[in-house]
Amino acid sequence: MLLAVDCGNTNTVFSIWDGESFIATWRTATEWQRTADQYYVWLSTLMRLQEIEADITDMIISSTVPRVVFNLRVLADRYFHTRPLVVGKPECRLPVDVRVDAGTAVGPDRLVNTVAGYDLHGGNLVIVDFGTATTFDVVAADGAYIGGVIAPGVNLSLEALHNAAAALPHVDISQPQAVIGTNTVACMQSGVFWGYIGLVREICARIKAERGTEMRVIATGGLAPLFQQAVDLFDDYHDDLTMHGLTVIHDFNKEKAE
C-alpha cells in the first residue's frame, strides 16, 4: 500500500491508499523537529486504534517545508524499508510540463494540485487552494502548470490584523449576517469574508481574461466550502485534491520504472 504525505506550513496529512481509495487519513501539526521514530509511534498507534492493518510498501512526499523531508525519508527507510518519492526532486517525474521562468522553484503542493486537477477535470483550470497562503494555479489545456498567484491566507490575514492592532480581537472566520458590522467582531469577519470573495472572484476573472478562454475554477482547502455557500465562486471542490495528485504521480513513476 501507498503512504502519501502532504506536508504544509501548518499541518501535515498522512493518508493510506490501497490502490482504489484512501482507507485512512490523519493530520498533525507540522514540526520540523519531529523525528522518524516519533512519526512512527504516532502513526502506528493511530493505525492500531482504528484496527487498520496495512502493509506499506511505497511512500510519496510533498512538502513545502524542506526541513521535515529528512526525517520523513528516515521514516520510510527505517520502518517501511522503501525509498520515498519526493515531489520536486529530479528522480520524481511529473506527468505534466512545468512552464515557468528559468530558475523558478514551484511549490510541490502546487505541482501536485495541477496534476490532480488535470487528471480529474482536464485542462484550462484555475485551482484555488485555501491554505496558509491562498494560491491560484493556472493549468493549460494540455495540463501544463503555467504559473499563478500567491495571496496571504485567510487565517494568516486575521492573525496579522489581530497582532498589528492592539484593540482588535482574535476572531474565527465565518459568514457574517450582514455586510455592515455593528460590532468589532462582525466588522472584522465581514472585511475578511467578503474581502476574500472579492479577491478570488477578481483574480479568477483577470486570469480568464488574460488567457482569453473559458476556464473551470476548482477549489481545495478547508475554507473553500465556507466561501462557496455564500456565492457561486467555484465549479467544483475537492477536499482531498492534493492526496489524489500524489497517487497519480506515484502511479506515473511506477509505470515509467517498469
Side-chain angles (χ1 to χ4, degrees):
M1 293 187 185
L2 172 68
L3 177 62
V5 183
D6 173 30
C7 178
N9 290 293
T10 304
N11 293 314
T12 300
V13 180
F14 290 73
S15 288
I16 298 176
W17 174 257
D18 68 359
E20 296 183 356
S21 62
F22 289 108
I23 62 173
T25 296
W26 302 285
R27 185 180 301 267
T28 185
T30 298
E31 297 175 354
W32 67 267
Q33 303 97 327
R34 187 168 294 165
T35 66
D37 302 325
Q38 289 174 313
Y39 277 123
Y40 182 73
V41 169
W42 172 80
L43 190 62
S44 60
T45 300
L46 289 171
M47 292 174 65
R48 185 168 61 253
L49 287 173
Q50 294 184 225
E51 298 182 348
I52 293 173
E53 296 182 6
D55 181 19
I56 295 173
T57 58
D58 298 273
M59 186 168 165
I60 184 168
I61 302 166
S62 168
S63 177
T64 59
V65 185
R67 297 179 76 179
V68 307
V69 174
F70 173 78
N71 283 320
L72 289 172
R73 283 184 181 273
V74 175
L75 170 70
D77 177 65
R78 181 177 298 168
Y79 291 104
F80 303 127
H81 311 295
T82 186
R83 181 176 180 177
L85 278 171
V86 180
V87 179
K89 299 299 182 182
E91 64 272 16
C92 183
R93 290 172 286 188
L94 299 176
V96 300
D97 289 335
V98 180
R99 302 186 192 127
V100 295
D101 296 341
T104 300
V106 181
D109 55 330
R110 307 181 75 182
L111 298 176
V112 175
N113 285 348
T114 296
V115 170
Y118 183 63
D119 182 69
L120 294 169
H121 299 283
N124 286 327
L125 304 176
V126 181
I127 300 174
V128 185
D129 188 350
F130 291 88
T132 304
T134 300
T135 59
F136 300 75
D137 299 318
V138 183
V139 184
D142 64 350
Y145 174 86
I146 57 173
V149 177
I150 301 175
V154 179
N155 288 318
L156 189 63
S157 295
L158 275 171
E159 194 66 29
L161 194 60
H162 167 64
N163 290 335
L168 297 181
H170 176 79
V171 299
D172 293 324
I173 181 65
S174 64
Q175 182 179 352
Q177 295 181 343
V179 176
I180 301 173
T182 56
N183 57 68
T184 302
V185 170
C187 288
M188 293 174 65
Q189 288 177 332
S190 183
V192 172
F193 183 83
W194 294 111
Y196 268 85
I197 284 179
L199 180 145
V200 171
R201 181 186 284 125
E202 181 68 13
I203 287 179
C204 289
R206 287 183 175 272
I207 289 172
K208 292 176 183 179
E210 192 169 291
R211 293 290 295 164
T213 186
E214 277 298 311
M215 306 183 76
R216 290 173 59 83
V217 179
I218 310 301
T220 189
L223 290 176
L226 173 66
F227 292 104
Q228 179 72 348
Q229 71 183 19
V231 292
D232 189 18
L233 277 180
F234 314 118
D235 295 301
D236 211 336
Y237 164 74
H238 299 280
D239 62 349
D240 60 351
L241 187 70
T242 306
M243 285 300 171
H244 177 76
L246 287 173
T247 67
V248 175
I249 293 172
H250 172 261
D251 289 346
F252 179 76
N253 280 266
K254 285 200 73 171
E255 290 172 4
K256 290 295 182 181
E258 293 176 354

